């Protein structure tokens, strides 16, 4: 009994800390993740990412990017036709609503 109360207490404290100190992910989170991805690309034909994936334009207008209007988050990311060379950074894990397309 005492042990399960402690566990419950720990869980409540954890949830409170978690909700008050972590920032809510939004489209800016997705933009940061995609910009991190872009910075890991060593080669793209015609520099398409460098010219098109610009933080001065909305992420949802970037080439290869699809957003959901409901969540206003990035839901698809189709770069298969771009023949990119580089590595995939861990930041892509921040694209919470992402469903990979082939
Ligand atoms: C996204 O969240 C950050 C911090 O949580 C906030 O500063 C920013 O204004 C938000 N951006 C949008 C587009 O809602
Ligand atoms: C990026 O490409 C999309 C699709 O071709 C186009 O609609 C958009 O205007 C481009 N944006 C920039 C900044 O070049």
């Amino acid at each position: 009994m005492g042990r399960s109360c402690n566990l419950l207490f720990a869980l409540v404290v954890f949830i409170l800390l978690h909700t008050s100190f972590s920032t809510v992910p939004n489209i800016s989170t997705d933009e940061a993740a995609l910009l991190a991805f872009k910075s890991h690309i060593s080669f793209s034909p015609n520099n398409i990412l460098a010219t098109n994936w610009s933080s001065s334009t909305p992420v949802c207008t970037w080439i290869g990017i699809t957003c959901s209007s409901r969540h206003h988050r990035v839901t698809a990311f189709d770069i298969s036709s771009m023949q990119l060379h580089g590595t995939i950074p861990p930041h892509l894990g921040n694209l919470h609503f992402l469903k990979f397309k082939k």
Side-chain angles (χ1 to χ4, degrees), residues 70-85:
R70 184 158 155 252
H71 298 290
H72 195 56
R73 297 292 303 272
V74 171
T75 51
F77 171 45
D78 187 1
I79 51 166
S80 53
S81 56
M82 291 187 206
Q83 300 171 300
L84 305 176
H85 295 221

Side-chain angles (χ1 to χ4, degrees), residues 1-12:
M1 187 59 186
R3 179 171 288 238
S4 59
C5 283
N6 283 344
L7 267 179
L8 189 64
F9 180 71
L11 187 67
V12 168

Side-chain angles (χ1 to χ4, degrees), residues 34-47:
L34 289 169
L35 287 174
F37 171 80
K38 174 180 150 181
S39 71
H40 281 71
I41 295 302
S42 50
F43 171 82
S44 77
N46 311 320
N47 257 340

Side-chain angles (χ1 to χ4, degrees), residues 15-87:
I15 290 168
L16 288 178
L17 289 179
H18 195 73
T19 49
S20 50
F21 289 118
S22 63
T23 51
V24 179
N26 56 25
I27 190 73
S28 312
T29 321
D30 295 347
E31 179 181 9
L34 289 169
L35 287 174
F37 171 80
K38 174 180 150 181
S39 71
H40 281 71
I41 295 302
S42 50
F43 171 82
S44 77
N46 311 320
N47 257 340
I48 195 155
L49 292 191
T51 53
N52 195 270
W53 287 23
S54 156
S55 50
S56 59
T57 58
V59 183
C60 298
T61 68
W62 292 0
I63 200 161
I65 300 300
T66 308
C67 289
S68 104
S69 46
R70 184 158 155 252
H71 298 290
H72 195 56
R73 297 292 303 272
V74 171
T75 51
F77 171 45
D78 187 1
I79 51 166
S80 53
S81 56
M82 291 187 206
Q83 300 171 300
L84 305 176
H85 295 221
T87 55

